[in-house]
Amino acid sequence: MEHQRTQRAQFKAFYIISPTAWIRSALILCALPSVAVSKDLPLCDETDYYFEYTECDSTGSRWRVAIPQIQGECRGLPDPVRGTDCTFSCDAGEFLEMSEQECMHCAAGTYSLGSGVRFDEFDDIPVGFTSVATYLDSGNHMEDELTCNSSSWVAQGNYLESNRDECTVSLIYAVHLKKQGSVTFEYQYVDKNMFFEFFIQNDQCQEMDQTSDKKWIKMTANGEWGTHTVNLKSGANVLYWRTTGIMVGAKVVKPVLLKNIQIEGVAYTSECFPCKPGTFSREPGSSSCEPCPRDSFSGRGASSCTPCDRETHYSSEGSAECKAKPPCSKKDYFQIHTACDSDGKTQIIYKWIEPKICLDDVNGAVTLPPSGERKPCPPCNPGFYNNDTATCSPCPQGTFSEGSKACQPCPAGTEPVLGYEYKWWNVLPANMKTSCFNVGNNKCDGMNGWEVAGDHIRSGTGGSDNDYLILNLRVPGFKLPTSVIGSTGNEFGQITFVFETICSADCELYFMMDVNRKSTNVVGSWEGSKDKQSYTHIMNVNASVSYTWAFQRTNQASEVRQYVNDIVKIYSITVTNALDGVSSSCRACALVSQQSGSSCVPCPAGHYIDKDTNRCQECPPNTYLTGHQIYGREACLPCGPGSKSNKEHSLCYSDCSFSHTEQNKTFVYDFSALSQVGSIMNGPSFTSKGTKYFHQFNISLCGPEGQRAAVCLDNVTDLPNKESQSGEASELTNAVKSFICQSTIIPADGRGFRTALSSQSISLADSFLGASVESTLDGVTVKPDLFPETSKKVPDVNFFYRSPQATASCDSGRHAVVTLRCNPEKSTRGELSVPSECPAGTCDGCTFNFLWETASACPRCTEADYHEIEGACRGDVQDTHYVWNEPKLCTGGVALPEKKTWPCKAIDFWLKVGAGVGAFCAVLLISLTCYFWKKNKRLEYKYSRLVMSANKECELPAADSCAIMEGEGEEMEDEVVYSSKPSLLGKLKAIATKGNEETSESVQLKSSSSKPERWVWG
């Protein structure tokens, strides 16, 4: 109740008026004459009323009027008097005493901002604030609307916590300023799946102009608070803090935290605010309150803190009460390894967690276990040496050591390999530090977040389970080996660490990176228990960088240590090419000459060190160098098929040309029309609660020198914004540049959003493996059934890519394949698509497949792709036409030849004459043949009749008496049998020699009697 009364007084103390209240004070003067004053009421004293200013008029003037606490309880209110100027305000630490209208110092135990107000106590949502939940999508989501009604900003004592679901929740506050002011607040925003924006509206619900960096809040590192300030205009200002969770991967989002909201520019502060419990202000005229030290407490409005009984009670910094110390348990101590002593020995000892908040001398309490045996210290880390002392020292410049021996100078022709390799953890390295941080309290401030443990470093206990246990490594920059200084590659160094997590709750390990102290980004994160594994991150910029490991046992608000046994272990951390690193070994370098004492020199880009001469030699054509290993010819790796190396031999790329030979036919392709970045936005897809989102892919297929032109923004942005197309996107901190990248897009038609939201940008293709018509290349395979088969005779061309960065689900990194398919019906830019069975572009989350159907994927035309057609001879000329073979499956290349015209001679008349003569001769020959054939038949018949008519009992007559004249004996029907069938030629000859008596024909006569056969010669 006391807290609520204070908040009501706080709300009344400055000029923050709701829309309905804005007109109330303006009507006060008009309403006063109508109030009936009863003579029977007692006179009002100072406790029966309070003063308030009316609204300012057009001249900037206002009146001070008395407002009764309870209407009609007393009479004789003070008359209205002219008030101070509308822009008048007191200084910080002062308040406006309304009876005298003068500024007065705040008393001890209170504070004032003068012309501002601060909200730093969140046992409940402060008076004047409203939490409104809506749904992101503007569609019909009646059930989701009901679900979102339970979503709200939640008070957590020292801060406000946003929703953790897919609802859109707005924290709204209205304030009326008489002069220009500002709003400042602290926040923690760590999850990319949560969109956080802050904007301002006027009393007409019109959003005021804001730059994108003021509206969209920058992300913070885990365990860090950010500060955001926006200027406010005079007049009505409605402040909105709006959060929207997007659970694309069915993962619970981490909420936004908000605290210390301070608004400047209110007209006046009529009274000072009491310090909240756990804080105090010692001197009058304070503008803020200080937290009570550890083991002390204070109530509301305290000017000093009361110490706790340290024997039996304790309190953390800023506590409102002291708590009784419980009996000590195993959760109250930890083990450490002592530093090496003069004998080179170390041992495990146990210590109470400081500050000690338990009792070890009561019933049920545990005591510290005895210390372990003294054991030999582990060797120094590589690059350090012991030199018979208790500590390890770094090797001097130009020397090296593996850790167990004294430092030695590098041999001639070699140079030291700089870096860090921490694998023994007896003491924390000098360039590392550890801390503990809690978003809601400072219970673990001053504690070590991590503890060394011999062969690993592990997370500490912390003050509560939701503490962030932080380990930090600072690298001032990177220094390439001398031999590769001239290279143009984009790798300056690597960091590799081996870790393991053992958890029973929702623990999470974050690996973060801050480049040049600009902003901290999460590079990788791991939830729950993870087996021992290695993770590597490649540095593509040469800059000062801070690597941070943050471990949190649970992200739920907690005041106890329930999961103290949930830990993370880091076994080793290795950083290559560190500017201030030490050397554990030496590597060969390029020399000016083979003379003794020759110094190392840098090799030009694309050169390797010849093993025989230690001189720089250029890599052969179409080979590339990977990393910083350039010693030996084998360091030059061949480019894949269909690719070539750039001038510096730092990468392989496609110059948009490709050729393939099949069945003695060579296909030559030109993909220049596809060199511009292509995009595809598939979907929509929906989350478990129905939020609509898309996956956008940008593809840079080929181009000059392998430029990675595909850019995806990992930020809230308007997709049509030309900034991403003008090259300025490369300056953005969260932009991803590669051959193929992916972004998750929330469309702009969501409720209340005026721009599309882009987030979760990742690279799918950092290197080009090659182009081939085969379905497999370098371990990457295209499934044949992903896309419909083509009926065209032109083979598909597959472009293979790889992103070597390992992820939680892809141990060997991600892969991508772009299949180019010839389709003359498409335009030169064509159309991109993803497999129908895998609408997200991938079926396993690691290999992404795209189909690009375009006319530009057809091979270049050759002479074999067209044929000629000869026309008729007309007017002594003849045309030869050339046409493409159908279907036409080529583009560009050889052009279709022009029509050719040839002279010719007209031969139509003589052709007709010849045809007529030939036809006449053919008819005549057929007629003669038929005539002679019939004639021959008749002669044969007559002759046979003549022979058969002879007397069968007598001798044959003489040739001249037995002849039968033409026309005789035609009635005889004796059968005639020839001895042989004469040929047509023989018949013709017989006819031609008719009448020649010396010529006769042998005929076999068959009589009816049984006499022997006889031959007759005629």
Side-chain angles (χ1 to χ4, degrees):
M1 293 295 296
E2 178 187 357
H3 172 56
Q4 293 179 352
R5 287 195 301 269
T6 302
Q7 285 203 332
R8 285 197 296 268
Q10 179 179 355
F11 179 67
K12 184 181 68 174
F14 48 89
Y15 208 70
I16 298 174
I17 306 176
S18 64
T20 57
W22 287 343
I23 62 175
R24 186 185 65 178
S25 58
L27 299 176
I28 290 176
L29 288 177
C30 297
L32 287 176
S34 64
V35 177
V37 179
S38 175
K39 297 181 180 180
D40 298 333
L41 295 177
L43 291 175
C44 296
D45 58 23
E46 293 182 354
T47 61
D48 294 327
Y49 60 88
Y50 62 92
F51 291 109
E52 191 172 291
Y53 282 122
T54 64
E55 285 286 337
C56 295
D57 57 22
S58 59
T59 62
S61 301
R62 58 185 174 182
W63 292 80
R64 190 204 67 177
V65 297
I67 308 297
Q69 299 283 1
I70 301 176
Q71 190 72 29
E73 289 291 324
C74 64
R75 61 185 174 85
L77 291 174
D79 294 331
V81 297
R82 185 173 295 276
T84 60
D85 187 76
C86 289
T87 60
F88 175 82
S89 62
C90 297
D91 295 332
E94 297 179 340
F95 71 100
L96 181 63
E97 204 283 314
M98 293 293 291
S99 60
E100 300 295 334
Q101 298 192 70
E102 294 180 355
C103 293
M104 306 290 290
H105 284 291
C106 291
T110 63
Y111 75 97
S112 168
L113 300 178
S115 62
V117 60
R118 180 188 297 124
F119 299 93
D120 55 3
E121 191 174 355
F122 301 101
D123 293 329
D124 296 305
I125 293 182
V127 175
F129 283 84
T130 304
S131 180
V132 178
T134 57
Y135 197 72
L136 173 67
D137 200 336
S138 58
N140 186 13
H141 295 276
M142 295 302 297
E143 295 182 2
D144 294 320
E145 294 283 353
L146 296 177
T147 303
C148 288
N149 286 338
S150 61
S151 296
S152 174
W153 286 78
V154 180
Q156 295 289 1
N158 293 325
Y159 59 91
L160 292 174
E161 180 181 282
S162 74
N163 58 309
R164 296 170 178 256
D165 52 27
E166 289 185 279
C167 298
T168 298
V169 182
S170 299
L171 184 67
I172 307 173
Y173 189 71
V175 59
H176 192 276
L177 302 184
K178 292 300 180 181
K179 61 180 180 179
Q180 292 185 349
S182 65
V183 56
T184 301
F185 56 89
E186 295 181 40
Y187 68 96
Q188 190 171 111
Y189 174 32
V190 298
D191 196 338
K192 294 180 180 179
N193 293 319
M194 177 70 76
F195 295 108
F196 182 30
E197 59 176 333
F198 174 76
F199 60 95
I200 307 166
Q201 290 184 350
N202 57 22
D203 54 353
Q204 301 299 320
C205 295
Q206 297 174 337
E207 186 171 337
M208 298 185 181
D209 294 335
Q210 274 183 272
T211 58
S212 60
D213 62 327
K214 294 298 182 183
K215 178 176 180 178
W216 299 102
I217 310 300
K218 295 181 180 180
M219 298 189 68
T220 61
N222 289 274
E224 293 183 1
W225 288 94
T227 301
H228 191 75
T229 301
V230 177
N231 293 327
L232 301 178
K233 296 180 180 180
S234 60
N237 292 269
V238 183
L239 313 181
Y240 285 81
W241 292 267
R242 183 160 62 185
T243 58
T244 303
I246 307 296
M247 295 190 292
V248 174
K251 174 185 175 182
V252 177
V253 295
K254 291 181 173 57
V256 172
L257 308 182
L258 194 64
K259 71 174 184 179
N260 292 339
I261 303 173
Q262 182 170 318
I263 302 174
E264 295 283 352
V266 296
Y268 61 90
T269 300
S270 61
E271 60 186 44
C272 298
F273 309 126
C275 294
K276 69 177 183 178
T279 63
F280 72 100
S281 63
R282 182 178 293 108
E283 302 293 335
S286 298
S287 61
S288 63
C289 300
E290 302 177 24
C292 287
R294 193 183 302 275
D295 293 329
S296 66
F297 72 100
S298 70
R300 185 176 303 277
S303 59
S304 62
C305 298
T306 303
C308 300
D309 183 358
R310 296 191 178 186
E311 295 295 330
T312 58
H313 290 74
Y314 76 97
S315 70
S316 58
E317 185 180 6
S319 295
E321 60 180 359
C322 295
K323 296 180 180 179
K325 292 184 177 181
C328 291
S329 66
K330 293 182 179 180
K331 298 178 180 180
D332 294 309
Y333 65 82
F334 63 98
Q335 69 175 32
I336 63 170
H337 285 68
T338 62
C340 288
D341 55 21
S342 58
D343 297 329
K345 301 287 185 177
T346 183
Q347 65 179 148
I348 295 176
I349 63 173
Y350 297 87
K351 288 186 174 183
W352 294 114
I353 297 174
E354 295 294 341
K356 184 182 178 183
I357 58 173
C358 65
L359 299 175
D360 58 353
D361 56 355
V362 296
N363 292 333
V366 300
T367 58
L368 287 178
S371 300
E373 297 180 1
R374 296 176 70 246
K375 296 180 180 180
C377 291
C380 295
N381 282 310
F384 292 81
Y385 71 101
N386 192 300
N387 199 20
D388 297 331
T389 62
T391 59
C392 295
S393 303
C395 287
Q397 185 176 2
T399 63
F400 73 98
S401 172
E402 77 281 5
S404 60
K405 297 180 181 179
C407 300
Q408 300 177 357
C410 287
T414 64
E415 61 179 331
V417 179
L418 298 179
Y420 315 126
E421 186 179 355
Y422 300 137
K423 60 182 181 179
W424 300 112
W425 303 93
N426 193 51
V427 294
L428 193 67
N431 59 346
M432 299 186 71
K433 62 180 181 179
T434 177
S435 61
C436 179
F437 175 81
N438 189 288
V439 296
N441 56 61
N442 49 14
K443 290 173 59 177
C444 73
D445 291 356
M447 293 184 179
N448 286 334
W450 294 67
E451 300 290 346
V452 294
D455 63 343
H456 67 274
I457 184 171
R458 59 188 295 172
S459 55
T461 54
S464 54
D465 285 340
N466 65 334
D467 291 343
Y468 283 102
L469 307 175
I470 298 172
L471 179 67
N472 180 267
L473 169 63
R474 186 77 184 175
V475 180
F478 296 89
K479 179 181 180 182
L480 295 176
T482 303
S483 300
V484 297
I485 289 178
S487 65
T488 58
N490 58 355
E491 178 182 331
F492 292 92
Q494 293 183 0
I495 180 171
T496 302
F497 59 94
V498 179
F499 70 98
E500 175 187 19
T501 58
I502 304 172
C503 298
S504 59
D506 58 333
C507 73
E508 188 162 5
L509 172 66
Y510 301 90
F511 174 59
M512 300 173 288
M513 182 176 67
D514 179 8
V515 179
N516 287 333
R517 301 179 183 270
K518 288 185 177 180
S519 63
T520 302
N521 297 316
V522 176
V523 179
S525 62
W526 299 266
E527 296 183 18
S529 296
K530 297 295 180 183
D531 295 333
K532 188 176 181 180
Q533 57 186 276
S534 174
Y535 181 82
T536 299
H537 178 74
I538 299 175
M539 285 300 302
N540 296 322
V541 293
N542 189 359
S544 173
V545 60
S546 177
Y547 298 108
T548 300
W549 293 264
F551 180 69
Q552 189 181 36
R553 292 185 173 92
T554 178
N555 66 353
Q556 303 293 331
S558 174
E559 293 292 333
V560 297
R561 291 194 296 263
Q562 182 179 356
Y563 305 109
V564 69
N565 293 324
D566 291 4
I567 61 173
V568 57
K569 298 180 180 180
I570 294 181
Y571 293 92
S572 66
I573 299 177
T574 303
V575 181
T576 63
N577 302 331
L579 183 63
D580 61 344
V582 293
S583 176
S584 61
S585 61
C586 300
R587 59 182 291 170
C589 64
L591 303 177
V592 178
S593 65
Q594 291 183 292
Q595 297 179 358
S596 176
S598 180
S599 59
C600 296
V601 295
C603 284
H607 286 62
Y608 68 95
I609 303 174
D610 186 84
K611 291 183 177 180
D612 297 329
T613 62
N614 272 30
R615 305 288 293 275
C616 299
Q617 299 289 337
E618 184 177 4
C619 284
N622 296 331
T623 62
Y624 70 100
L625 291 169
T626 177
H628 299 139
Q629 178 54 258
I630 64 171
Y631 188 66
R633 168 64 177 79
E634 59 273 13
C636 302
L637 303 178
C639 292
S643 64
K644 59 189 301 185
S645 63
N646 57 356
K647 296 179 180 179
E648 293 80 13
H649 296 274
S650 60
L651 55 83
C652 297
Y653 70 100
S654 170
D655 61 354
C656 299
S657 63
F658 180 75
S659 63
H660 167 64
T661 302
E662 182 178 316
Q663 297 180 353
N664 296 327
K665 182 178 180 180
T666 299
F667 297 92
V668 179
Y669 298 84
D670 182 8
F671 303 128
S672 300
L674 307 179
S675 60
Q676 298 296 322
V677 176
S679 297
I680 174 176
M681 183 182 291
N682 64 338
S685 300
F686 298 89
T687 63
S688 58
K689 289 191 64 176
T691 300
K692 180 170 62 176
Y693 67 94
F694 298 84
H695 279 145
Q696 174 169 314
F697 301 92
N698 294 332
I699 300 176
S700 176
L701 187 73
C702 58
E705 297 296 317
Q707 181 182 2
R708 297 178 178 89
V711 178
C712 292
L713 301 180
D714 194 5
N715 202 352
V716 180
T717 181
D718 189 1
L719 289 181
N721 191 348
K722 297 181 180 180
E723 185 180 43
S724 62
Q725 303 174 2
S726 63
E728 297 181 17
S730 59
E731 301 296 330
L732 297 177
T733 303
N734 295 325
V736 175
K737 297 183 65 177
S738 64
F739 288 111
I740 304 175
C741 61
Q742 171 193 304
S743 292
T744 300
I745 305 297
I746 309 298
D749 57 2
R751 179 175 298 169
F753 286 87
R754 295 169 176 80
T755 58
L757 312 181
S758 173
S759 183
Q760 299 179 343
S761 295
I762 58 175
S763 172
L764 306 179
D766 294 320
S767 60
F768 178 57
L769 302 180
S772 173
V773 297
E774 303 296 332
S775 60
T776 301
L777 180 64
D778 199 10
V780 184
T781 302
V782 184
K783 295 182 179 179
D785 55 347
L786 284 179
F787 300 104
E789 294 185 2
T790 177
S791 59
K792 308 293 189 298
K793 297 181 180 179
V794 177
D796 294 339
V797 181
N798 298 314
F799 277 61
F800 296 85
Y801 299 88
R802 171 176 289 143
S803 179
Q805 190 71 51
T807 64
S809 57
C810 306
D811 295 336
S812 59
R814 298 184 179 93
H815 310 94
V817 182
V818 181
T819 300
L820 302 183
R821 176 168 293 177
C822 172
N823 191 340
E825 299 176 359
K826 301 290 185 180
S827 63
T828 55
R829 289 290 297 172
E831 180 180 340
L832 275 163
S833 62
V834 295
S836 58
E837 61 183 74
C838 308
T842 176
C843 299
D844 57 4
C846 298
T847 301
F848 292 77
N849 294 272
F850 307 92
L851 177 65
W852 201 335
E853 290 187 276
T854 168
S856 301
C858 298
R860 295 177 65 83
C861 297
T862 64
E863 288 80 357
D865 294 309
Y866 63 84
H867 61 277
E868 63 179 29
I869 299 178
E870 292 186 355
C873 184
R874 298 179 182 275
D876 295 335
V877 293
Q878 183 181 22
D879 295 334
T880 300
H881 298 269
Y882 298 89
V883 296
W884 294 110
N885 300 333
E886 291 296 337
K888 181 185 177 184
L889 299 176
C890 65
T891 182
V894 175
L896 199 66
E898 297 291 336
K899 177 185 68 176
K900 294 183 179 180
T901 302
W902 305 86
C904 63
K905 189 174 183 181
I907 56 173
D908 291 348
F909 174 76
W910 292 109
L911 183 61
K912 294 178 180 178
V913 172
V917 173
F920 175 77
C921 294
V923 172
L924 180 62
L925 179 60
I926 293 173
S927 300
L928 290 174
T929 302
C930 293
Y931 171 77
F932 285 116
W933 181 78
K934 289 184 66 178
K935 189 70 175 176
N936 183 48
K937 284 295 185 181
R938 292 181 61 188
L939 290 175
E940 290 178 354
Y941 176 72
K942 290 178 181 181
Y943 185 74
S944 63
R945 291 287 303 270
L946 175 63
V947 174
M948 297 300 296
S949 65
N951 189 357
K952 299 179 181 180
E953 300 295 335
C954 62
E955 296 291 334
L956 289 173
D960 55 355
S961 61
C962 293
I964 300 177
M965 299 303 294
E966 183 176 354
E968 297 179 1
E970 294 181 359
E971 68 281 359
M972 298 179 65
E973 296 178 356
D974 291 343
E975 183 180 355
V976 179
V977 180
Y978 293 95
S979 61
S980 62
K981 186 177 180 179
S983 63
L984 179 60
L985 182 59
K987 293 177 182 179
L988 293 176
K989 290 176 66 177
I991 295 174
T993 57
K994 182 179 179 182
N996 188 353
E997 297 179 355
E998 294 181 358
T999 303
S1000 61
E1001 184 177 0
S1002 175
V1003 180
Q1004 182 178 359
L1005 301 178
K1006 181 179 181 182
S1007 97
S1008 59
S1009 63
S1010 59
K1011 294 183 180 181
E1013 296 179 353
R1014 295 184 298 171
W1015 293 92
V1016 178
W1017 298 84

